[in-house]
């Protein structure tokens, strides 16, 4: 039985309310990096999972790739479809769960982007990697991108207590109090949101294995070459903001 430790409420209205603008600003350069690291010809097939509101899937489709996007949020999928319509691109959008990917071979690439891994207990997280492998043809590329665990660790107060991360959108506030359990390899976030004067609180726990541990998990899931890079596509360093793992299906 899988244990879900980042619940669906994290990706409700507050998600795009606070992250929408930031995501829009970084999407073009992220898609450049994806295209460069995937190294695929025009017309190649790409699975973007979970695809959220389709900011990456729609841009990849606009560049001539055949794209499928899957996400559990009906609202985000609806937004993705309507943006695809506005852009005049065609993407197959599916509502579904990461743990039950209905794909068997065929894709040239699987993209898992913007801290979209680690939402479950680690046995389940590792099963997801096997699901990504099953979706790929041999030689297909997996790109998995997430916040740097080292950056988070370096932001933790030296003498204990949480790192406080504040996001502001006009008068609205999101305050994340983040701690890290090194033994479990998980960050724990207590999130306080103030929107329109209304305060809400939630919590979540994200698995953040080290780059080398994640590479080991990915190899064990059926990938051969595994590279650990950063947001520029160079080998990841302790000071990198993001970790990008590039792996080739065996
Ligand atoms: C941080 S967002 C990133 C979305 C997208 N990759 C991007 O870069 O914009 C994570 C996404 O995971 C989706 N998600 C969370 N749990 C899921 C699950 N069990 N199955 C499918 N999607 C899920 C959420 O709905 C959300 O859209």
């Amino acid at each position: 039985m899988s244990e879900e430790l980042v619940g669906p409420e994290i990706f409700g209205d507050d998600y795009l309310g606070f992250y929408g603008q930031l995501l829009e600003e970084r999407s073009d350069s992220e898609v450049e990096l994806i295209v460069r690291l995937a190294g695929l010809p025009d017309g190649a097939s790409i699975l973007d999972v979970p695809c959220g509101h389709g900011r990456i899937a729609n841009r990849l489709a606009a560049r001539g790739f055949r794209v499928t996007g899957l996400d559990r949020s009906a609202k985000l999928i609806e937004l993705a479809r309507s943006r695809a319509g506005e852009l005049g691109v065609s993407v197959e959008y599916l509502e579904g769960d990461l743990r039950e990917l209905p794909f068997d071979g065929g894709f040239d690439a699987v993209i898992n982007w913007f801290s979209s891994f680690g939402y479950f207990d680690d046995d389940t997280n590792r099963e997801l990697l096997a699901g990504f492998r099953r979706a790929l043809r041999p030689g297909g590329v997996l790109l998995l991108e997430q916040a740097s665990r080292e950056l988070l660790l370096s932001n933790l107060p030296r003498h204990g207590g949480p790192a406080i991360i504040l996001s502001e959108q006009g008068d609205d506030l999101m305050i994340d109090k983040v701690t890290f359990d090194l033994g479990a390899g998980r960050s724990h976030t207590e999130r306080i949101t103030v929107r329109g004067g209304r305060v809400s609180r939630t919590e979540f726990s994200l698995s953040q294995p080290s780059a080398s541990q994640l590479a080991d998990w990915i190899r064990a899931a059926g990938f051969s070459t595994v590279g650990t890079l950063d947001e520029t596509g160079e080998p990841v360093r302790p000071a990198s903001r993001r970790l990008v793992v590039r792996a080739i299906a065996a």
Side-chain angles (χ1 to χ4, degrees):
M1 180 63 186
S2 79
E3 194 184 357
E4 184 166 23
L5 297 155
V6 180
E9 72 282 0
I10 301 301
F11 305 106
D13 290 343
D14 289 344
Y15 167 62
L16 285 186
F18 283 97
Y19 288 111
Q21 196 185 331
L22 168 95
L23 290 175
E24 233 16 72
E25 284 165 9
R26 58 197 287 161
S27 294
D28 285 340
S29 61
E30 288 181 319
V31 169
E32 283 301 329
L33 181 64
I34 289 169
V35 170
R36 178 156 64 90
L37 294 180
L40 297 171
D42 269 6
S45 59
I46 301 181
L47 173 64
D48 180 10
V49 61
C51 63
H53 64 303
R55 67 189 182 97
I56 290 173
N58 288 338
R59 283 173 169 82
L60 288 172
R63 295 180 68 137
F65 297 105
R66 287 179 293 126
V67 187
T68 301
L70 179 144
D71 200 281
R72 184 169 60 179
S73 162
K75 220 167 166 178
L76 293 177
I77 287 285
E78 193 186 314
L79 200 52
R81 285 197 180 114
S82 99
R83 295 226 170 138
E86 286 159 22
L87 292 168
V89 297
S90 166
V91 174
E92 183 184 20
Y93 280 114
L94 305 169
E95 215 180 297
D97 196 294
L98 279 166
R99 291 163 289 184
E100 293 160 10
L101 294 183
F103 309 108
D104 202 358
F107 283 99
D108 296 309
V110 169
I111 313 295
N112 176 269
W113 209 260
F114 195 59
S115 299
S116 291
F117 179 75
Y119 297 171
F120 308 96
D121 63 276
D122 280 340
D123 285 345
T124 307
N125 289 328
R126 296 181 67 165
E127 282 165 21
L128 297 193
L129 297 173
F132 298 160
R133 171 64 192 87
R134 276 194 300 279
L136 286 165
R137 64 165 169 79
V141 187
L142 169 67
L143 295 176
L144 188 155
E145 190 264 6
Q146 60 186 25
S148 156
R149 150 183 165 136
E150 279 63 33
L151 188 65
L152 166 59
L153 293 177
S154 73
N155 283 331
L156 289 170
R158 255 176 170 289
H159 301 293
I164 309 285
I165 302 169
L166 172 68
S167 313
E168 289 182 271
Q169 274 302 317
D171 288 338
D172 294 338
L173 301 175
M174 180 183 273
I175 302 148
D176 282 346
K177 295 165 75 177
V178 189
T179 52
F180 200 92
D181 179 340
L182 275 172
R186 299 193 79 97
S187 60
H188 181 268
T189 303
E190 187 187 337
R191 175 166 287 178
I192 304 163
T193 309
V194 185
R195 286 195 83 190
R198 188 180 56 85
V199 180
S200 52
R201 289 172 184 265
T202 186
E203 292 184 26
F204 58 92
S205 159
L206 185 68
S207 178
Q208 288 186 270
S210 67
S212 63
Q213 189 182 15
L214 183 55
D216 283 347
W217 288 4
I218 289 178
R219 272 186 217 98
F223 291 85
S224 50
T225 319
V226 182
T228 49
L229 311 170
D230 72 4
E231 65 277 6
T232 67
E234 294 299 314
V236 71
R237 292 166 301 121
S240 300
R241 280 189 309 109
R242 313 285 302 177
L243 168 67
V244 182
V245 184
R246 179 180 186 277
I248 305 296

